[in-house]
Amino acid sequence: MATSAAGTTVLTGARVVLPTGTAEGGRLTVRDGRIAENAPEAGPDARTVDLTGHWVVPGFVDMHNHGGGGASFTSGTVDEVLTGVRTHREHGTTTVVASTVTGEMDFLVRRAGELSEIVEQGDLAGIHFEGPFISPCRKGAHSEELLRDPDPAEVRKLVDAARGTAKMVTLATELPGGIDSVRLLAEHGVIAAIGHTDATYEQTVEAIDAGATVATHLYNAMPALGHRVPGPIAALLEDERITVELIDDGTHLHPAAFQFAYHHAGAGRVALITDAMDAAGFGDGRYQLGPLAVEVRDGVARLVEGGSIAGSTLTLDTAFRRAVTVDRLPVEDVVRSISANPARLLGLYDRVGSLEPGKDADLVVLDADFTLKGVMRRGEWVVEPKLD
């Protein structure tokens, strides 16, 4: 049960990951839902929580997420969307962007309006449109008959329907209208993401020069890296203007491919995402991803027809633990990739993404094995630590 954000909570004894590095035996003061300056005396009503032997890191920020807890962000009711949001919060994602999948334009326009209301009430951080402006050659788990070229007028229609809450649009920028749509999005402060693309290296460079800044789930749904025909992966990894999304679930990427991209781009240019669908935090079974049927077995989601990977069942606490324990990345680097980088991209770094005075008290408590033990959002415990 969440506790009130009113009053003061002092977290002591943990390894606290700050923008300047890790503070051993750190002290973090939370007051009225925000991180406060530490003071020698917190006040007589302050609650002190001893987190010795634990880590405290910023709340996770997921900029590419289609749902969870059995609920879809693309088609669910308001209550179902909130169920998905709560599911991911319980796994440390205190800031989540709702990603849609390809559908009829009229449906997506209506959906943008519905999701924008949930953003406005503070439960979502924005909307990401993944499709319908993607390549039929690299459609993945998107309905081919609903795909279309990225006509700037239609892209603008979706952005307008979101009433200022659109954060990102994934495009196959090599399609007719793609470059003009990138420019349109950049002019409106919306991230243009290159993904589900069959672009060449040269076409990808052109899109980056036009204003694209993100690679949607790098490697997945795009041509493989080649030594004579390098394709989009080389262009996206080499350009300092691009942040690459990576899905670290052990299914979407071989560990060597993950580490190659991570070390080539560097911690400052990676955003760890889930690309989660309804089954995240819920279990195996049959699901719908837009109009397409999905079977989840042993935690891996695939289309019933064709067998393409259909999103993930990943939660970001698992991605964090895997990045540290399997990929052997420094904790501070993982914090940048799972919190600070996406917060900056989304224009939210003034409020979330790091543990600094004045920001929302969004944080995650992990034990020595990097297993989640607590989650706080805006000063309230979503998962209250039960410490031995």
Side-chain angles (χ1 to χ4, degrees):
M1 180 180 294
T3 57
S4 173
T8 301
T9 299
V10 181
L11 309 179
T12 63
R15 292 177 170 179
V16 181
V17 180
L18 304 169
T20 53
T22 298
E24 301 283 347
R27 174 187 174 96
L28 199 68
T29 302
V30 174
R31 183 175 296 115
D32 298 330
R34 295 185 180 274
I35 298 169
E37 297 281 358
N38 286 320
E41 298 294 331
D45 297 326
R47 181 192 177 198
T48 299
V49 181
D50 184 359
L51 295 175
T52 301
H54 292 72
W55 294 82
V56 175
V57 301
F60 309 144
V61 180
D62 195 352
M63 57 189 282
H64 188 157
N65 187 319
H66 297 278
S72 166
F73 293 155
T74 296
S75 59
T77 64
V78 171
D79 285 344
E80 288 169 342
V81 171
L82 295 178
T83 293
V85 170
R86 282 194 299 271
T87 296
H88 286 283
R89 279 185 193 163
E90 290 167 0
H91 289 273
T93 300
T94 50
T95 302
V96 61
V97 171
S99 300
T100 62
V101 297
T102 295
E104 297 281 2
M105 277 298 297
D106 287 346
F107 169 80
L108 290 173
V109 166
R110 288 196 306 274
R111 192 61 181 166
E114 294 163 357
L115 290 172
S116 69
E117 294 181 7
I118 304 175
V119 177
E120 289 160 1
Q121 71 188 29
D123 289 297
L124 289 171
I127 305 170
H128 162 218
F129 297 102
E130 188 180 21
F133 310 114
I134 61 176
S135 171
C137 302
R138 305 287 174 177
K139 63 183 182 297
H142 292 255
S143 177
E144 184 168 353
E145 56 267 29
L146 297 177
L147 301 181
R148 57 183 65 213
D149 291 338
D151 179 346
E154 291 197 323
V155 174
R156 174 68 184 270
K157 187 177 181 180
L158 273 186
V159 170
D160 287 348
R163 302 200 303 265
T165 67
K167 291 293 184 180
M168 184 162 66
V169 178
T170 294
L171 306 160
T173 53
E174 76 279 5
L175 296 176
I179 297 301
D180 286 341
S181 291
V182 168
R183 294 193 181 102
L184 170 75
L185 291 168
E187 289 169 2
H188 286 80
V190 179
I191 296 166
I194 301 172
H196 288 275
T197 177
D198 204 40
T200 64
Y201 173 89
E202 292 77 14
Q203 288 170 326
T204 305
V205 169
E206 183 184 10
I208 296 169
D209 287 341
T213 56
V214 166
T216 293
H217 45 52
L218 188 77
Y219 294 113
N220 299 113
M222 62 181 62
L225 181 66
H227 66 290
R228 291 194 181 92
V229 183
I233 294 172
L236 294 164
L237 281 176
E238 74 182 5
D239 199 302
E240 295 291 327
R241 294 170 290 182
I242 291 291
T243 297
V244 297
E245 295 182 346
L246 294 176
I247 308 170
D248 194 9
D249 63 352
T251 297
H252 280 77
L253 301 176
H254 188 284
F258 175 87
Q259 291 174 15
F260 175 83
Y262 200 97
H263 291 297
H264 195 89
R269 289 181 48 221
V270 171
L272 296 179
I273 62 161
T274 62
D275 194 17
M277 46 82 70
D278 312 17
F282 200 68
D284 290 357
R286 282 284 185 107
Y287 296 87
Q288 287 292 128
L289 189 61
L292 303 178
V294 175
E295 179 79 22
V296 179
R297 293 182 184 175
D298 299 324
V300 178
R302 293 186 180 274
L303 292 182
V304 172
E305 296 293 332
S308 292
I309 294 176
S312 85
T313 62
L314 184 64
T315 52
L316 282 182
D317 58 331
T318 297
F320 191 107
R321 186 169 64 252
R322 182 179 173 85
V324 175
T325 62
V326 176
D327 303 309
R328 305 292 183 184
L329 298 177
V331 172
E332 295 82 1
D333 285 355
V334 179
V335 166
R336 290 179 71 185
S337 298
I338 210 165
S339 300
N341 295 345
R344 283 195 182 94
L345 281 167
L346 296 169
L348 303 174
Y349 192 66
D350 61 325
R351 294 194 293 108
V352 300
S354 65
L355 301 176
E356 297 176 85
K359 291 192 174 184
D360 291 348
D362 291 1
L363 58 88
V364 177
V365 179
L366 306 167
D367 67 13
D369 296 322
F370 301 99
T371 299
L372 184 144
K373 292 296 180 180
V375 180
M376 177 181 283
R377 181 175 185 268
R378 298 180 182 175
E380 296 186 1
W381 288 111
V382 178
V383 176
E384 188 157 5
K386 293 181 174 58
L387 307 175
D388 296 332

